[in-house]
């Protein structure tokens, strides 16, 4: 059991300290076993929150804290946060030439394990095969350079492959549904649902209800102007689909 607490988090872009804060006092708790959906209109700080939790050095925490199992993770770098069980699936996955997909995933797994307990290669390849089959990915994608020439949908599927192979405690998935057709969406959702269990939690960022028809969240929060303005259950996502975000105001969540 683990618990991540975002407490009154205020964040700016480090290179633009004169600009206003992007996050303006975010409070959010994610418990293991839980799927937490983060919704809200574009440009309101959702990706910034995920990047800041992961430790992207471009973002500066000016106030508040991020606490994992009672300990602030703010002093930790990205690698240490990954070893602590955090994972971020990207909205725009990077392409890397010269590193195959399989090599990248094995390195990501091993970076999270002690040096004297690296994953045996045969076991790794077996797990990789099995997981790629679940995600209906062609075998040759393991040997292609990371994300190079992958379509938008293939990149997203590849993020889920990494997720399932790495098996983090907390997976943040940023608009993993964008660019996916309905079949790919179902497969990706199936992958995430297979991860569900008492030792796994996920923060799923999306603006659409569609993904949440397949990955039913335990908690739904809505972010606007850098604050959480509403929190509820899976039914909140359904009602937002009808009403949109316009009627929600900052302060509603505390009302
Ligand atoms: P969302 O994911 O909800 O669409 P983002 O977190 O990507 O929102 O962005 C929130 C706001 O912060 C936007 O106005 C965006 O332009 C700004 N922003 C985010 N990251 C950066 C950055 N690295 N440099 C400058 N502005 C940024
Ligand atoms: Mg505030
Ligand atoms: Mg975003």
């Amino acid at each position: 059991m683990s618990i991540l607490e975002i407490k009154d988090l205020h964040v700016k872009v480090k290179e633009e300290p004169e600009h206003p804060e992007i996050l303006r006092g975010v409070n959010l708790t994610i418990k293991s076993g839980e799927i937490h959906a983060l919704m809200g209109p574009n440009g309101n700080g959702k990706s910034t929150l995920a990047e800041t939790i992961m430790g992207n050095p471009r973002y500066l925490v000016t106030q508040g804290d991020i606490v994992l199992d009672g300990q602030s993770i703010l002093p930790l770098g990205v690698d240490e946060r990954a070893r602590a069980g955090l994972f971020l699936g990207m909205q725009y996955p990077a392409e890397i030439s010269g590193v195959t997909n399989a090599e990248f995933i094995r390195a990501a797994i091993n970076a999270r394990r002690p040096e004297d307990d690296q994953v045996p290669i045969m076991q790794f390849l077996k797990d990789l095969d099995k997981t790629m089959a679940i995600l209906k990915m062609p075998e040759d994608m393991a040997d292609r350079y990371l994300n190079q020439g992958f379509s938008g949908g293939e990149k997203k599927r590849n993020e889920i492959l990494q997720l399932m192979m790495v098996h983090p405690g907390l997976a943040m998935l940023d608009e993993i549904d964008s660019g996916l057709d309905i079949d790919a969406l179902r497969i990706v959702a199936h992958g995430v649902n297979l991860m569900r269990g008492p030792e796994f939690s996920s923060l799923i960022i999306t603006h659409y209800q569609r993904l949440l028809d397949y990955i039913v969240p335990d908690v739904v929060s809505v972010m606007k102007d850098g604050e959480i303005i509403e929190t509820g259950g899976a039914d909140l996502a359904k009602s937002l689909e009808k009403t949109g975000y316009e009627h929600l105001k900052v302060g509603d969540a505390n009302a």
Side-chain angles (χ1 to χ4, degrees):
M1 176 71 200
S2 83
I3 179 161
L4 184 82
E5 296 164 281
I6 314 295
K7 298 180 173 174
D8 188 31
L9 191 70
H10 292 247
V11 170
K12 286 187 164 191
V13 173
K14 197 170 280 174
E15 285 144 32
E16 297 172 349
E18 70 291 352
H19 282 214
E21 291 173 335
I22 301 174
L23 300 185
R24 307 191 303 171
V26 173
N27 290 290
L28 195 77
T29 298
I30 307 167
K31 299 190 188 95
S32 60
E34 231 172 57
I35 303 267
H36 197 128
L38 181 62
M39 304 185 75
N42 242 324
N44 280 267
K46 301 183 300 299
S47 295
T48 299
L49 176 63
E51 294 282 356
T52 305
I53 294 171
M54 199 65 221
N56 184 332
R58 292 176 72 183
Y59 297 98
L60 179 69
V61 173
T62 54
Q63 191 180 316
D65 207 350
I66 307 174
V67 177
L68 181 62
D69 295 332
Q71 288 243 279
S72 174
I73 61 168
L74 291 183
L76 306 185
V78 178
D79 292 1
E80 291 165 295
R81 293 185 199 198
R83 276 196 291 278
L86 305 189
F87 175 98
L88 175 58
M90 311 287 279
Q91 187 170 0
Y92 305 106
E95 301 191 5
I96 304 180
S97 158
V99 178
T100 68
N101 212 7
E103 286 166 348
F104 178 82
I105 293 171
R106 191 154 75 99
I109 294 171
N110 281 334
R112 289 165 165 87
R113 295 168 65 128
E115 261 179 45
D116 58 1
D117 185 29
Q118 301 279 285
V119 62
I121 182 79
M122 291 315 286
Q123 186 198 320
F124 168 77
L125 291 173
K126 219 173 98 190
D127 288 350
L128 186 65
D129 261 9
K130 200 175 80 186
T131 311
M132 288 179 74
I134 292 171
L135 294 173
K136 300 195 166 37
M137 294 172 76
E139 276 173 33
D140 72 334
M141 278 178 84
D143 304 316
R144 282 165 60 184
Y145 289 145
L146 184 65
N147 288 325
Q148 254 192 12
F150 288 22
S151 71
E154 283 171 339
K155 284 183 186 176
K156 294 298 162 88
R157 218 181 280 211
N158 209 37
E159 293 290 301
I160 300 299
L161 175 65
Q162 289 170 21
L163 167 74
M164 293 176 75
M165 291 297 294
V166 164
H167 235 285
L170 169 64
M172 297 178 281
L173 302 176
D174 195 355
E175 297 202 17
I176 206 78
D177 45 347
S178 69
L180 291 185
D181 61 33
I182 198 75
D183 291 332
L185 186 78
R186 283 204 181 105
I187 291 165
V188 158
H190 177 57
V192 175
N193 284 328
L194 287 175
M195 302 280 301
R196 283 185 110 137
E199 299 305 324
F200 177 74
S201 61
S202 187
L203 182 68
I204 295 190
I205 299 175
T206 180
H207 349 251
Y208 303 111
Q209 157 65 26
R210 194 176 74 144
L211 178 66
L212 306 179
D213 287 335
Y214 299 98
I215 306 173
V216 178
D218 300 293
V219 185
V220 175
S221 291
V222 181
M223 179 175 275
K224 200 167 172 189
D225 295 334
E227 291 183 53
I228 302 297
I229 56 166
E230 184 84 81
T231 293
D235 50 324
L236 174 59
K238 287 215 158 62
S239 70
L240 286 170
E241 187 180 29
K242 294 196 195 82
T243 60
Y245 300 113
E246 282 310 312
H247 68 294
L248 297 173
K249 294 188 301 293
V250 169
D252 279 3
N254 310 316

